[in-house]
Amino acid sequence: MFDSSARHPPGKCHPGTREKALKIITDWIIDPAPEHSVIWLYGPAGSGKSAIAQSIAELLWQAYQSQYGGSFFFAAGDNMGRGDGNKLFSTLAYQLAVQFPALLPVINDTLFKDPMLPTRSMEIQIKALIVDPLLQVSNWSAHTPTIIIDGLDECANSTTQKNILSLISYYIRHHNLPLRFLIASRPEYWIRDAFEVATIHDLTLPISLNEVGDADGDIERYLVAEFAEICNKYSLIMCSVVQPWPPTRIVKRFVEESSGQFIYASTIVKFVGYSSDFCDPREQLQILTTAGPHRATAFSTLDSLYAAILSRIPDTHRVALNLVLGGIILDLTVQTIEIFLEVDAGMIAINLAALNSLIEVQPVEFEAEEVLEVFYGPRGCPDETNIRFCHLSFREFLQDQARSGQYFVDVAEISHLFLFTIFNLFGDALEQKPEVEQHKT
């Protein structure tokens, strides 16, 4: 839950940041008859979704308590069960029973008759512990309370995640479930497909953190305020430092490196001012602004995030993954990776889908289409697609073997492979060798 000791201290929005997203969600919560029963808040890894969900939960609890239904914050790999989807509906049912006294005897009676309900399937739990009790209560609130589900992408596996969305959609659509849901997640392709194609689509208001508000401006405000707090905390050390500290150019550099992702900025703040009770912020900042192995140690939290996302890709795809990542670093398009790095198109699609929370894929115009037609032949040349990383720090991670380990991308080697293939393919094309025909089929 939002106030669980397992999450203490929870991350939340810094004052004055994410105001547009918070306003959209708050307006929806207090609207007595919203057009949509679900909000899907999505964005890349580290973009601040959980902080927004936490801030909304606290706001509801403090100012609109009658409209707070419950919350569940998933966390992959957590030993407290926060990655277990089977705990979701029983936890929400408990909160609903505590929040709304009219529900308490109904849910109590249900559990008395079958104490094993919390161990049953999700389908049985949501019906027996939430849907049926809500439909039995005659004096239920006319203003539907809000349920907050954060980190859906960190719940168990894709099948469980899709099942949760399917159950919520079914009971809202077919049983008029008197609840509304704020669901935050990364835009993993199976979650995106559910919200864009499945039955929950018509019920949902999507909010992309990449498109709402001024992320760079928010990050700059956050950094300036936090650095000022660090100066106050270490006033004896910092009293002789020229203000503002750090210089504006350094703050601007950190904003640019953050790429709109709050997790990068918060990592910088923690390293500079909160590594220990005896750290010197001046020395910590010097480490961050100087290339070298010590700088990499500041980003261990980010590195763990990147490694966790990459670890979900099967080992059998590792060679293709390395080539795809190398192609992105070299600023190659999808079709160029397929042809000149000789990666199967299906394998590229699988890896890009798995990397969805770390990359952006965009169509681009390509002037040398006739060149690609030599290799695609009768199939025709597909639309050219460009890829870029959402995080500049992810690029650094991949190219630093000490940080990325098994996920290290040797850009020089992949660049050599790219040039070698170009010379061979164009040589074949110019000489009209039989091998060219192989690339046309």
Side-chain angles (χ1 to χ4, degrees):
M1 296 179 281
F2 82 94
D3 56 357
S4 168
S5 63
R7 301 183 59 248
H8 186 77
K12 56 185 176 181
C13 296
H14 187 82
T17 65
R18 293 302 192 192
E19 290 183 334
K20 188 171 183 179
L22 290 170
K23 185 178 188 308
I24 293 172
I25 297 170
T26 304
D27 287 348
W28 170 79
I29 288 171
I30 63 178
D31 185 346
E35 183 180 350
H36 302 91
S37 300
V38 178
I39 278 183
W40 178 37
L41 178 69
Y42 66 97
S47 57
K49 302 175 294 294
S50 294
I52 291 175
Q54 177 70 27
S55 294
I56 290 293
E58 292 185 9
L59 175 66
L60 278 174
W61 186 255
Q62 294 163 8
Y64 306 99
Q65 193 165 142
S66 64
Q67 294 166 31
Y68 173 80
S71 59
F72 197 106
F73 286 73
F74 283 108
D78 182 85
N79 59 10
M80 301 294 289
R82 288 173 51 216
D84 186 354
N86 289 318
K87 289 181 167 56
L88 172 64
F89 293 119
S90 56
T91 303
L92 294 177
Y94 165 79
Q95 293 174 82
L96 286 167
V98 172
Q99 276 290 95
F100 302 97
L103 271 178
L104 183 58
V106 183
I107 295 178
N108 265 344
D109 184 57
T110 301
L111 283 168
F112 180 78
K113 292 176 181 177
D114 186 358
M116 297 297 290
L117 269 174
T119 68
R120 310 271 187 220
S121 68
M122 289 193 300
E123 290 82 354
I124 292 175
Q125 285 189 50
I126 188 174
K127 185 176 188 303
L129 293 173
I130 295 178
V131 178
D132 289 347
L134 282 171
L135 297 180
Q136 290 178 47
V137 175
S138 58
N139 58 340
W140 184 246
S141 171
H143 192 118
T144 54
T146 297
I147 296 288
I148 299 168
I149 301 175
D150 177 68
L152 180 65
D153 55 280
E154 298 197 44
C155 163
N157 51 55
S158 60
T159 300
T160 302
Q161 295 162 25
K162 290 185 289 186
N163 195 22
I164 289 170
L165 294 177
S166 177
L167 288 169
I168 290 172
S169 172
Y170 174 80
Y171 282 109
I172 291 176
R173 189 177 295 278
H174 298 287
H175 294 267
N176 295 317
L177 182 64
L179 294 170
R180 62 185 81 178
F181 292 82
L182 168 60
I183 301 173
S185 78
R186 299 172 194 158
E188 305 294 6
Y189 73 89
W190 55 88
I191 296 177
R192 187 185 64 241
D193 286 350
F195 278 111
E196 293 180 352
V197 179
T199 55
I200 200 170
H201 168 70
D202 295 339
L203 304 171
T204 302
L205 170 65
I207 300 176
S208 167
L209 283 183
N210 281 345
E211 300 173 4
V212 174
D214 176 15
D216 285 351
D218 286 346
I219 289 173
E220 184 171 353
R221 281 187 286 275
Y222 166 73
L223 287 172
V224 169
E226 288 296 327
F227 282 133
E229 184 62 30
I230 290 171
C231 285
N232 289 332
K233 178 183 177 183
Y234 296 94
S235 57
L236 293 177
I237 298 174
M238 305 297 291
C239 62
S240 61
V241 173
V242 176
Q243 297 296 326
W245 182 89
T248 302
R249 59 181 176 79
I250 298 296
V251 174
K252 296 287 187 184
R253 169 183 164 181
F254 288 153
V255 171
E256 181 180 353
E257 290 176 349
S258 294
S259 309
Q261 315 308 321
F262 268 86
I263 190 171
Y264 188 90
S266 64
T267 299
I268 287 172
V269 168
K270 289 176 184 175
F271 183 78
V272 172
Y274 302 95
S275 297
S276 76
D277 290 333
F278 305 101
C279 68
D280 184 336
R282 298 168 301 176
E283 293 180 359
Q284 299 294 94
L285 183 68
Q286 182 67 28
I287 291 173
L288 285 178
T289 53
T290 305
H294 293 296
R295 184 178 190 274
T297 63
F299 299 104
S300 57
T301 301
L302 270 177
D303 292 353
S304 297
L305 172 64
Y306 298 147
I309 293 172
L310 293 172
S311 69
R312 296 184 303 181
I313 302 173
D315 290 343
T316 52
H317 299 170
R318 189 65 54 79
V319 174
L321 171 65
N322 191 270
L323 290 171
V324 169
L325 290 171
I328 299 173
I329 293 172
L330 293 171
D331 202 26
L332 305 182
T333 63
V334 170
Q335 286 69 30
T336 306
I337 292 172
E338 178 187 354
I339 295 172
F340 297 110
L341 295 184
E342 300 181 327
V343 183
D344 175 74
M347 192 61 70
I348 294 175
I350 291 172
N351 280 288
L352 292 182
L355 294 168
N356 197 58
S357 61
L358 295 172
I359 62 173
E360 289 184 356
V361 180
Q362 300 173 331
V364 295
E365 294 183 2
F366 190 67
E367 297 179 355
E369 186 171 308
E370 65 277 5
V371 176
L372 289 180
E373 286 177 348
V374 171
F375 304 105
Y376 278 99
R379 290 182 298 167
C381 181
D383 293 335
E384 191 73 355
T385 307
N386 198 15
I387 324 160
R388 75 174 189 88
F389 293 127
C390 296
H391 308 246
L392 291 177
S393 58
F394 184 47
R395 180 189 294 264
E396 292 181 3
F397 166 80
L398 292 172
Q399 296 182 80
D400 186 338
Q401 191 166 14
R403 294 174 61 185
S404 52
Q406 61 182 319
Y407 304 112
F408 169 66
V409 176
D410 190 333
V411 179
E413 181 180 334
I414 293 175
S415 179
H416 176 76
L417 172 63
F418 172 64
L419 294 173
F420 180 79
T421 307
I422 285 179
F423 290 136
N424 279 343
L425 290 176
F426 277 95
D428 289 346
L430 290 172
E431 296 179 18
Q432 293 295 305
K433 290 184 177 180
E435 286 84 354
V436 175
E437 297 300 319
Q438 297 177 10
H439 293 289
K440 293 183 179 180
T441 59

